[in-house]
Amino acid sequence: MGHVNLPPSKRTPTITNIINNYNPRHWRLIDLISAAFFGLVFLFFVFVFTSLGDSLAASGRQTLLMSGSDPQQRLRLVAAIEVGQRVIDACPADAVDHMPCENPRLNSQLSREMNYYRERHCPPVENTVLCLVPPPSGYKVSVQWPESLHKIWHSNMPHNKIADRKGHQGWMKLEGPHFIFPGGGTMFPDGAEQYIEKLGQYIPMNGGVLRTALDMGCGVASFGGFLLSQNILTMSFAPRDSHKSQIQFALERGVPAFVAMLGTRRLPFPAFGFDLVHCSRCLIPFTAYNATYFLEVDRLLRPGGYLVVSGPPVQWAKQDKEWSDLQGVARALCYELIAVDGNTVIWKKSTGDLCLPNQNEFGLELCDESDDPNSAWYFKLKKCVSRISSVKGEYAVGTIPKWPERLTAPPPRSTLLKNVADVYEADTRRWVRRVAHYKNSLNIKLGTPAVRNVMDMNAFFGGFAAALKSDPVWVMNVVPFRKPSTLDMIFDRGLIGVYHDWCEPFSTYPRSYDLIHVASIESLIKDPVSGKSRCNLVDLMVEIDRMLRPEGTVVVRDNPEVIDKVARVAHAVRWRPTIYDKEPGSQGKDKILVATKTFWTL
């Protein structure tokens, strides 16, 4: 039977009618719904089958930890880690340079007066993420010292801004897979060696007279790096700034460096510890705020020590007033003018308080006798001159023994112990024995090119660092601020270090150290009076992991119960731990844990 040709029904639309009567808004909605569905399917596969899902999940976990919606969640997680029931997740990929106390976004909301916003500001522990900072993509085991002074892997710090902006001044440049460091600086584009040679015309740069130096606003620390050939050990510091990575480059090169800002507080160093203080275009307004910053430099500089300022405002165009003021402050403090060579000025500090009080345009006065110039942990800057007479001992440049004799000579200043010389000598012998055991029996790579940057988290007299005097290393000696204040004696030995509270993160970039050593780790987190824990071991070990380079080593000495706890947490932070007995002839019940940080990637 044939088909009957009927006119199209309104209820039975033909293809032609569908096309002719197409409703664009209707189909756009369907299209959006379909796209959203397929998008969700795609994201599902990304989350489940790629590493991006892991990163986003880790980010979500951090958000939960930081939100405070469940204050007990973090405590439960820490408790589970301490008993070995949980491992710690990796931070997301964008956290490769994470510094907990240096958050530019949060700090930008703080006061700019005296650069307060650029100082360290640590979040409460309950608001900190509990995750392991990953290395950047393509990270390689660092170039070994001394080759690292001149080149590092670009992939370890793929930040090109300094090379792009400062390459013409000899700071650094990109060559193939490496950053190359010619040794230049803004005020010494022809190289640090030539600049140091010029300073040597006025300052005893060799012969052991000078040993400890402070380089303020150091750039990539070429000045400090090349001073090492003169046996001068330099603490280079700079803030985390728009270049992002000055100090990170310095540490990757194997040069001592520290993240700090001269703002509202004293720098975390002892009084009169540096034989030489250097500023090469550091742009610190020394005479501002009634010369407060110059007074902080004076607190740090050893009597008879040298101050070098190179760059503005020294004989600088349009800065006559600033240059005049700088000279005026130096005269008021009775600094001896050694030389003005182009845009570089060199002063020598006097060796006594006889200069003050005197009449001066800045109204400078001596601090009260009650002031302790060694107090420097979160200690507000004072607008007075630290009394040299407040610290007893023969520690001025010219009277303190030359290097290397000063390393083993009895400390010239200490009021902590009645028989300090005997205790000091016993401590020195103890660490010689311990370090020999580390090298000979525990297979720790001290003394080899694999270890350059070392930290001692509980330094006391610096005996561990002193026992490494023949090794190609430098040691950051950390004296916890609640412990006896021995950092001045460490500097008198010709070593360097800082005050710190280990219930806060340290002022450094991730992957800064090859080896981290700590004796009595539990004492770092306990109140010395009450004996109660002020923070937890898990957070401390996560911070150690952040500071340690992949394939780096951790050495922990403590009693067996603490070492067992450390070993459980070590597995949670992906270390490979081994527990050893203490060295023969050692007193006490110590065990030694040696752990290697595994080289993992996202």
Side-chain angles (χ1 to χ4, degrees):
M1 184 174 173
H3 292 285
V4 178
N5 292 325
L6 298 173
S9 167
K10 292 182 180 180
R11 295 185 178 180
T12 311
T14 63
I15 295 297
T16 303
N17 283 341
I18 291 173
I19 295 174
N20 290 338
N21 295 320
Y22 170 66
N23 184 332
R25 181 173 299 174
H26 174 72
W27 279 96
R28 198 157 36 235
L29 180 61
I30 293 176
D31 191 45
L32 288 171
I33 293 172
S34 300
F37 173 76
F38 285 108
L40 290 171
V41 172
F42 174 76
L43 288 174
F44 171 78
F45 280 95
V46 168
F47 289 166
V48 174
F49 297 106
T50 74
S51 60
L52 177 61
D54 294 336
S55 297
L56 291 173
S59 178
R61 283 190 291 271
Q62 293 172 65
T63 301
L64 284 174
L65 286 173
M66 297 179 67
S67 67
S69 57
D70 181 1
Q72 299 302 313
Q73 178 181 358
R74 198 178 195 282
L75 294 175
R76 289 194 294 270
L77 177 60
V78 168
I81 293 168
E82 287 180 332
V83 296
Q85 295 179 352
R86 288 288 302 272
V87 295
I88 302 175
D89 295 312
C91 303
D94 61 1
V96 293
D97 293 329
H98 177 55
M99 299 173 66
C101 300
E102 303 281 344
N103 187 327
R105 182 180 62 83
L106 295 178
N107 291 4
S108 64
Q109 302 171 24
L110 302 174
S111 171
R112 293 177 176 265
E113 180 71 13
M114 295 185 72
N115 284 313
Y116 175 73
Y117 76 109
R118 297 182 71 183
E119 295 179 300
R120 57 182 277 125
H121 299 283
C122 303
V125 65
E126 62 270 17
N127 291 343
T128 59
V129 294
L130 194 59
C131 59
L132 304 180
V133 175
S137 177
Y139 182 87
K140 301 177 182 180
V141 172
S142 299
V143 176
Q144 294 182 346
W145 180 265
E147 189 180 9
S148 61
L149 179 63
H150 306 288
K151 71 177 184 180
I152 65 171
W153 294 113
H154 173 267
S155 56
N156 286 12
M157 269 165 292
H159 309 309
N160 295 350
K161 186 178 289 187
I162 297 180
D164 293 342
R165 293 185 177 182
K166 303 289 188 178
H168 67 287
Q169 296 173 352
W171 282 40
M172 56 189 288
K173 57 183 178 179
L174 181 60
E175 284 189 4
H178 296 104
F179 277 124
I180 305 297
F181 299 88
T186 302
M187 296 306 300
F188 43 92
D190 295 329
E193 289 178 302
Q194 187 179 79
Y195 176 71
I196 292 168
E197 185 178 342
K198 182 182 81 168
L199 296 181
Q201 298 174 25
Y202 312 105
I203 300 175
M205 301 294 282
N206 51 37
V209 175
L210 304 182
R211 170 59 180 172
T212 56
L214 180 68
D215 190 14
M216 312 174 77
C218 61
V220 293
S222 288
F223 179 72
F226 283 94
L227 273 181
L228 289 167
S229 64
Q230 307 290 338
N231 279 323
I232 296 177
L233 187 60
T234 305
M235 177 74 80
S236 298
F237 83 85
R240 181 187 177 112
D241 63 354
S242 60
H243 292 142
K244 188 177 181 179
S245 45
Q246 294 181 57
I247 296 303
Q248 194 176 19
F249 281 120
L251 289 163
E252 186 72 7
R253 297 176 70 186
V255 178
F258 182 71
V259 177
M261 180 71 199
L262 187 52
T264 66
R265 314 179 192 121
R266 286 177 173 175
L267 293 170
F269 309 119
F272 318 133
F274 293 101
D275 308 333
L276 169 68
V277 175
H278 175 259
C279 156
S280 174
R281 203 178 173 86
C282 64
L283 303 181
I284 294 173
F286 289 111
T287 59
Y289 310 106
N290 203 36
T292 297
Y293 292 148
F294 199 115
L295 297 180
E296 174 62 359
V297 170
D298 181 74
R299 183 186 72 87
L300 298 173
L301 186 60
R302 190 180 296 274
Y306 295 87
L307 170 62
V308 177
V309 179
S310 184
V314 182
Q315 299 194 140
W316 205 264
K318 300 181 181 180
Q319 294 201 27
D320 294 343
K321 173 67 165 58
E322 291 82 356
W323 172 222
S324 177
D325 287 347
L326 184 62
Q327 295 175 87
V329 175
R331 283 194 302 270
L333 294 174
C334 295
Y335 277 42
E336 178 188 354
L337 178 62
I338 301 298
V340 180
D341 188 336
N343 299 121
T344 299
V345 62
I346 302 170
W347 283 293
K348 183 176 182 179
K349 181 177 175 177
S350 63
T351 57
D353 295 329
L354 297 178
C355 180
L356 290 172
N358 63 1
Q359 297 297 319
N360 60 83
E361 59 188 295
F362 300 94
L364 302 181
E365 296 180 352
L366 289 172
C367 294
D368 294 336
E369 294 186 1
S370 60
D371 174 64
D372 180 3
N374 281 319
S375 296
W377 180 248
Y378 284 103
F379 195 94
K380 190 174 181 179
L381 286 174
K382 287 195 171 186
K383 296 181 180 180
C384 58
V385 183
S386 297
R387 292 175 180 265
I388 295 173
S389 58
S390 67
V391 178
K392 308 300 181 183
E394 297 294 329
Y395 56 89
V397 171
T399 60
I400 193 170
K402 294 182 180 181
W403 179 263
E405 288 78 14
R406 65 192 280 186
L407 180 67
T408 53
R413 49 176 167 170
S414 175
T415 57
L416 289 173
L417 302 168
K418 292 182 179 179
N419 300 315
V420 63
D422 294 339
V423 175
Y424 168 81
E425 290 175 6
D427 184 74
T428 299
R429 291 193 299 270
R430 180 185 305 115
W431 281 108
V432 168
R433 183 175 67 248
R434 288 177 173 181
V435 168
H437 181 64
Y438 291 170
K439 293 179 178 180
N440 300 331
S441 301
L442 307 189
N443 299 316
I444 297 172
K445 297 178 181 179
L446 286 166
T448 74
V451 178
R452 170 61 184 170
N453 299 354
V454 178
M455 174 184 284
D456 188 1
M457 295 174 61
N458 192 11
F460 194 41
F461 286 142
F464 172 68
L468 300 175
K469 62 181 179 180
S470 300
D471 291 359
V473 303
W474 68 273
V475 181
M476 179 69 84
N477 292 282
V478 183
V479 173
F481 92 106
R482 291 174 181 262
K483 297 265 188 171
S485 181
T486 54
L487 194 55
D488 53 354
M489 287 184 283
I490 288 173
F491 273 79
D492 285 349
R493 301 187 74 175
L495 306 172
I496 57 174
V498 295
Y499 297 113
H500 187 65
D501 179 359
W502 283 114
C503 282
E504 293 186 6
F506 194 75
S507 290
T508 194
Y509 283 86
R511 303 171 300 280
S512 294
Y513 291 90
D514 301 302
L515 185 144
I516 297 179
H517 176 271
V518 53
S520 302
I521 189 170
E522 200 166 51
S523 72
L524 302 182
I525 61 177
K526 285 190 173 182
D527 184 279
V529 177
S530 68
K532 295 181 178 179
S533 294
R534 300 181 297 115
C535 52
N536 66 74
L537 183 65
V538 172
D539 281 306
L540 178 57
M541 291 180 62
V542 167
E543 174 61 4
I544 294 173
D545 182 82
R546 187 186 72 86
M547 296 188 294
L548 194 65
R549 288 173 171 173
E551 297 190 5
T553 302
V554 181
V555 181
V556 183
R557 300 181 65 98
D558 216 313
N559 65 61
E561 293 77 14
V562 173
I563 289 297
D564 287 343
K565 187 187 299 184
V566 171
R568 288 193 295 271
V569 180
H571 290 290
V573 293
R574 311 188 191 187
W575 298 349
R576 294 192 302 270
T578 304
I579 298 175
Y580 298 93
D581 290 327
K582 63 183 184 299
E583 61 281 348
S586 177
Q587 302 296 319
K589 301 178 180 179
D590 279 1
K591 292 282 188 177
I592 304 170
L593 178 139
V594 180
T596 301
K597 177 177 176 177
T598 57
F599 192 163
W600 56 269
T601 58
L602 290 175

